[in-house]
Amino acid sequence: MERMPQFDLRRPASIAEAAALLAAEPGARLLAGGTDLLPTMRRGIERPPVLVDLGAVRDFSRIDFADAGLALGAGVTLSQLAMDGRIVHHHRAIAEAARSVAGPGHRSAATIGGNLCLDTRCVFYNQSEWWRATNHYCLKLGGDVCHVAPQGSHCHAAFCGDLAPALLVLGASIELCARRGARVIPLSDLYRDDGVAHLALEPDEVLVRVLVPARSPALVSGYRKARARGAIDFPLAGVACALVARDGVLAELKVALTGTNSRPILLAGTEALVGRGIDEATLSALGKLVQKQASPMRTTVTQSNYRRQVAAALAQRLVRELAGYEPSAARASMS
Amino acid sequence: MNDVSRATAGGPARDAPAIAQGRTAGQRTPLIDGVEKVTGRARYTADLPTGETLVGRILRSPIAHGVIRRIDTAAARSIPGVRAVITGEDFAAPYGVIPIARNEWPLARGKVRHRGEPVAAVAAIDETSAEAALAAIVLDIEPLPAYFSAAAARAADAVQLHENKAGNIEREVDQAFGDVDAGFAAADLVRERTFHYAEVAHGQIELNAAVATYEPERDRLTTQSVTQVPYYLHLTLARCLGMDSSQIRVVKPFVGGGFGHRVEPLNFELVTAALARAAGGTVKIELSREDGFLTHRGRPETDIRLKLGMKKSGAITAVDCEIVQRGGAYGGYGLVTILYAGALLHALYKVAAVRYHGYRVYTNTPPCGAMRGHGAVDARHAFESLLDIMAGELGLDPFAARRANLIVPPYRTLNDLQVNSYGIPDCLDWVEQASGWKTRRGKLPRGRGLGLACSHYVSGSAKPVHWSGEPHAVINLKLDFDGGITILTGAADIGQGSSTLLAQVVAEVLSVPLARIRVIAADSALTPKDNGSYSSRVSFMVGNAAIRAAQEMKRVLVTAAAKRLEVHPEDIEWNGDHCRVAGTDRTLDFAGAVDAALVDTGTLTVKGSWSTPPETQGGKFRGAAVGSTAGFSYAAQVVEVVVDEDTGAVAVERVWVAHDCGFAINPLAVEGQVQGAVWMGMGQALSEETQYHEGLPLRPNMLDYRVPTIVESPPIEVKLVESRDPLGPFGAKEASEGALHSFAPALANAICDAIGIRLTDLPASPDRVLEAIQARKRRERLRASIGVSAQPDPERH
Amino acid sequence: MTKRLLALTVNGRMREDAVAANLLLLDYLRGTAGLTGTKQGCDGGECGACTVLIDGQPRLACITLAAACEGRVVETIESLAIEGRMSRLQQAFHEKLGTQCGFCTPGMIMAAEALLRRNPRPTDADIREALSGNLCRCTGYVKIIESVQAAAGG
Ligand SMILES: Cc1cc2nc3c(=O)[nH]c(=O)nc-3n(C[C@H](O)[C@H](O)[C@H](O)COP(=O)(O)OP(=O)(O)OC[C@H]3O[C@@H](n4cnc5c(N)ncnc54)[C@H](O)[C@@H]3O)c2cc1C
Ligand code: SF4
Ligand code: FES
Ligand code: FES
């Protein structure tokens, strides 16, 4: 068994202190629930000299409902999210996504911040030190080729966090805090399409809060996830959707994907489906959009083509379910 | 001479009491070591207190195939805190569980043959120095061409992995029984199909670990390990370390499952011992999950071509089968695996003629070995799938197709296997009724289906791997002044409940409560030799030995009681707690009987042993011993699935399984074993597979090696069929492997019933299922575009 | 490497130990505290064998730093039997054969314990959800579910 690398552990009591520590210690990393970082460190993938444990930070795990919307502290755990009745009721996609992550033992530690800032994953990367050395490492860490696409110079490791798409379809933004000050950006701006450096975070920035704007009560949302087993597994593809349907017509539609690209993506082109009836043609157009923008590569043990197809199938199914559309009934009414 | 230690004769236990429902045997009995397990007090190898202990670490080859030019350990040796550095040169001999296939060194010597093969090892005072030492070892290995598939290794110009194995064929089997050509000629329908099975692994939850202590003053070694086969480990330690076996003690602590992974001595066990000797102290090695996948010994990747001939009645007229297994880098149990595949292929049914051609191939991947359902699982899937396909074409119900081929015991199969009891008819009846087959099959909504399959398995191999002429099983019983009965057995309980079963058997024969019995298992200094926990041999063979030992102890006690009561032994009514002179009210309690028995002799020890009768040991042809057994278990199961045609996801809704275990000595444990077996079959059928990238395992962890979670695991309803085998202890037979085999084919048959698609590759992972669904859509579109009217796939019936 | 003083409660007892920053809770429990009931079955976070309770929540000791448990209440399988009497869950796992080899059992029982404290009358679905991160290779889970049901009902 590999040993945990050595590091210094700091336990700041405030975000400002945490940011200051990050700024002062090059290479320092934040530790929230540790359910991603510690397995990664146990495999020798990460060897930060300093870990800044957010576990003692005050007021970091609050859930606030206000007129303007929902504010979630970055330290809120996924089990808190999954079990909060208001979230289940008003922002179902968030609760469904949180509930689908790993297992209960992870979720009671795992935080929103850690889930949104999750490293990208690849079957050639999430392996032991011996394994990666034997395989001559890769672009993402220590090597100079990508085993997934050896001709290219780009890393295709996939972002696999479940929460991001749910928050994207709800138009969330995030509050970041650095030593020099705070900023609020749309969640989609946190991500870049680069498997090595997929987070647009400054080295000393801490994700502090997630802000979900208040929406029309008619907006319904959900999250569906394809995986080989009923629990534990990361998404082979995950799809979140938020929509408003009036009289069988789409009045609003947002769809986001995870597990397929190096960043979670808010599907472009769904506006074109707004105003259309929820029928087979619309669903098929949606499927095409997904198939086109999802670009899974051979980063998992499951075929990439499957991940693309299942993403489309789940998106179609979710829209149908959220809109209360029954294909056979609709067909009958059409004829 | 007194009768302190008296052996009973070795023949079949036909005299074993046939009991309907015993006081103890036949009762649902919690495990006698269950309290330790649920309280956390059970100590597994990694939990053992070991005093001052060195940390052992293994260096593994990064090269898949190559010649070792040099292993430079000088720098490693000079690192402070390092107490021993060893290589293959430090061992006296190679090993291998099959005496004629000992071609593996605990640390590679001369050549490396797979990535991850151990090449050197260190012992040091702590992990830091041990790891520094590993990093300081310099390997100079000259690469050779490497082969990761059976086909590549069999290519004409392929370099040989092992000198004496041309074409990289470890074992070729070519067998024919009956007139195969005439059989096909007589058939009304002949069909041939090919099948492909991914490699799978055991995935026992306990990680591998071993602790060894060497006492230089006495040249003595004590090894504790996660093994299923303490005796084979003992022999192999003596061999590889060049030690006298009397100087070695092997102790098995609690073991967290095995499923075949630990059914042969493993390199890390030998390395730990060699390090302990080199360092002159205690060394502990704890391996990672990844190491477990590199050690492997799983079920090989397999290709099968199967051809069957069938009459309109469903009767099978001929079987022709070719099986190729990618065996990995070393022999292990390989030749037994390829023989099992053929031996058990057809012996489930009455079949007129069989041809079997098997190839076990050496490749540069981690060595395969025995895994629960050894050798026969993939072949069963192929056979039961093709049976369903052909039954469909002939318009026969799947039950009818099986019923057309039933055996009537006693029966000798074509390949000379002896069938003395055969519960398949009852198994079929029960699953048919319980699953509502007659009313539901064919009337379920699209996407939902039912499938049936049957299977069987041995209750221990009738010829052990190390044939020494000794009995197959020996049990010692000890009874002393305290009135406690101690069972001394070499049988390794690895969670299957064998210690509980032995206690039940002894309690039953002696009519004493279980509480009076203790089991001491698997410590070579205390317990009689036992071949180990594999091929489901323990209940049958050790159970029979335990009956005999208990009968002997009872005889001694009755004789002593008779003497004390001054009557003839025949006048004694033995009732455990006390005995009585028949027809009187003169009694003697158990303590009194014990006192009487100890007079003059002191501590009582008796022995019971058992051997398989010669008629069960198989025929005379080469390889005939494999598959031979004193009693076959049987199973039938119906699986109900729902297939999601959009995502390819297959959900197993329910399983009904009937298992003929002869007699359930512990129905609670038998149910648990059957459920576990069915479920493990489900893992292989649905989601489990290994995969390699140039010989490097791509899924060496519990995230990508997808052992099913509780969420997708179905209710499994078990019916125990009790056919009372004439040779089994109280009629009992195997209970933990037979039901595994029929899950995968029942699933495939159910998927076909649900969506009309026949899967010939396992596992039926969502990507494979979706691909098959889309391939059909493409075929239908093609047919439509060229004007052929779209017909339903011929598979659906 | 410098060690820090860790103060926490383990199985009802206050402890203070000097621990290295990189010490995992699993190794702290098994090594420092000598509580070997908590098991390790994977290389980090994949099997649930190491499940313990931290402040009543199920947590994986193999991916938790000991030092991060400062001031917390940790409970392991060894804490459940009170005055030598097995807890209902332990009794049920024993009697219903919710354990075979026993290696997943401590983690399984602790995950079930967290469930029953929160939800004393769980449905089949609740039980599956609560144990979804705990792999068992022996039982097929059928008798594990029965054990938890028995403990809840009895
Ligand atoms: C077996 C297994 C299965 C898993 N399955 C899933 C799954 O299905 N879906 C899924 O989404 N995840 C899964 N995970 C990953 C992980 O458990 C979750 O993503 C979890 O939410 C991560 O949160 P955490 O608080 O534990 O993060 P940590 O491990 O503490 O941190 C993760 C990363 O985020 C950074 N970080 C943490 N907090 C902040 C912050 N406030 N600001 C900036 N950076 C921060 C850390 O520095 C680190 O780089 C799985 C993990 C395991 C071991
Ligand atoms: S996608 Fe390529 S570069 Fe990125 S982690 Fe995988 S192998 Fe490495
Ligand atoms: S040991 Fe496997 S999850 Fe902790
Ligand atoms: S009882 Fe063996 S792993 Fe669960």
Side-chain angles (χ1 to χ4, degrees), chain A residues 4 9 38 42 106-108, chain C residues 4 22 40 45 58 62 129:
Chain A
M4 276 290 275
L9 185 71
L38 293 179
R42 287 188 58 181
H106 305 84
R107 294 197 291 271
S108 53
Chain C
R4 59 171 60 221
N22 67 350
Q40 170 167 25
C62 75
E129 161 88 26

Side-chain angles (χ1 to χ4, degrees), chain A residues 122-125 138-140 145-149 154-157 299:
Chain A
C122 171
V123 70
F124 295 101
Y125 171 73
C138 76
L139 269 186
K140 185 163 159 72
V145 288
C146 168
H147 304 288
V148 166
H154 193 74
C155 167
H156 303 276
T299 56

Side-chain angles (χ1 to χ4, degrees), chain B residues 31 37-38 43-44 46-47 201-203 205 259 288-290 671-673 676 679 688 701-702 708 710 713, chain C residues 30 36-37 39 41 43 46 77 86 90 94-95 97 100-103 128 132 136-138 140-143:
Chain B
L31 300 182
K37 291 171 182 173
V38 299
R43 293 222 187 235
Y44 299 78
D47 306 337
H202 315 81
I205 303 297
F259 312 112
S288 67
R289 181 54 69 179
E290 178 190 72
E671 265 171 34
Q673 289 298 315
W679 174 89
E688 294 176 28
N701 52 61
M702 297 310 267
I710 198 170
S713 297
Chain C
R30 289 175 53 82
T36 54
K39 304 300 181 207
D43 300 348
E46 299 167 354
I77 185 73
M86 292 193 286
Q90 289 174 314
H94 175 49
E95 285 170 4
L97 203 69
Q100 285 187 22
C101 80
F103 205 79
R128 287 173 186 271
S132 63
C136 172
R137 194 57 162 160
C138 297
Y141 305 108
V142 184
K143 293 197 186 306

Side-chain angles (χ1 to χ4, degrees), chain A residues 29-39 46 54 60 74-75 78 97 100-103 106-107 109-119 121 160-163 176 199 201 205-208 225 227 232-235, chain B residues 703, chain C residues 44-47 60 63:
Chain A
R29 293 292 300 274
L30 293 173
L31 175 74
T35 61
D36 184 53
L37 189 56
L38 293 179
E46 300 269 10
L54 296 171
F60 195 48
L78 301 187
S100 78
V101 172
H106 305 84
R107 294 197 291 271
T111 64
I112 300 182
N115 195 272
L116 292 178
C117 298
L118 197 61
D119 196 0
R121 298 184 61 84
C160 298
D162 284 300
L163 277 184
L176 301 171
L199 292 180
L201 275 186
E205 266 182 325
V206 184
L207 199 163
V208 185
K225 170 171 177 175
R227 54 180 164 188
I232 306 180
D233 295 346
F234 284 93
Chain B
L703 199 45
Chain C
E46 299 167 354
C47 75
L60 301 173
I63 51 170

Side-chain angles (χ1 to χ4, degrees), chain A residues 9-220:
Chain A
L9 185 71
R10 304 293 163 78
R11 307 194 81 218
S14 71
I15 294 294
E17 217 184 303
L21 281 168
L22 287 183
E25 308 270 5
R29 293 292 300 274
L30 293 173
L31 175 74
T35 61
D36 184 53
L37 189 56
L38 293 179
T40 317
M41 288 175 63
R42 287 188 58 181
R43 294 197 153 90
I45 294 172
E46 300 269 10
R47 299 175 184 274
V50 175
L51 277 189
V52 179
D53 178 6
L54 296 171
V57 170
R58 289 181 298 272
D59 290 338
F60 195 48
S61 45
R62 290 180 50 166
I63 300 180
D64 291 314
F65 267 89
D67 289 348
L70 170 65
L72 300 166
V76 168
T77 64
L78 301 187
S79 54
Q80 270 179 281
L81 279 185
M83 291 198 266
D84 188 300
R86 296 165 302 177
I87 294 179
V88 172
H89 189 73
H90 297 291
H91 302 288
R92 197 173 193 92
I94 298 178
E96 286 180 350
R99 202 186 174 83
S100 78
V101 172
H106 305 84
R107 294 197 291 271
S108 53
T111 64
I112 300 182
N115 195 272
L116 292 178
C117 298
L118 197 61
D119 196 0
T120 53
R121 298 184 61 84
C122 171
V123 70
F124 295 101
Y125 171 73
N126 297 100
Q127 299 284 4
S128 73
E129 176 64 30
W130 174 80
W131 198 103
R132 285 176 287 111
T134 298
N135 199 39
H136 310 296
Y137 301 102
C138 76
L139 269 186
K140 185 163 159 72
L141 184 68
D144 44 22
V145 288
C146 168
H147 304 288
V148 166
Q151 274 78 34
S153 57
H154 193 74
C155 167
H156 303 276
F159 180 82
C160 298
D162 284 300
L163 277 184
L167 292 167
L168 283 173
V169 295
L170 296 171
S173 47
I174 53 173
E175 186 181 321
L176 301 171
C177 179
R179 202 178 35 146
R180 262 168 296 161
R183 58 177 177 142
V184 174
I185 59 169
L187 176 60
S188 53
D189 290 357
L190 176 62
Y191 300 107
R192 296 192 289 229
D193 188 21
D194 178 346
V196 178
H198 70 297
L199 292 180
L201 275 186
E202 296 300 324
D204 67 339
E205 266 182 325
V206 184
L207 199 163
V208 185
R209 288 201 302 167
V210 177
L211 307 164
V212 183
R215 304 301 292 263
S216 114
L219 187 88
V220 286

Side-chain angles (χ1 to χ4, degrees), chain B residues 6 63 69 76 82 118 273 300 327 364 410 447 450 555 646 684 756 777:
Chain B
R6 184 179 305 159
I63 305 286
R69 280 201 297 235
V82 172
N364 296 110
L450 292 172
R555 195 195 60 74
D646 295 332
Q684 174 177 4
K777 282 191 186 143

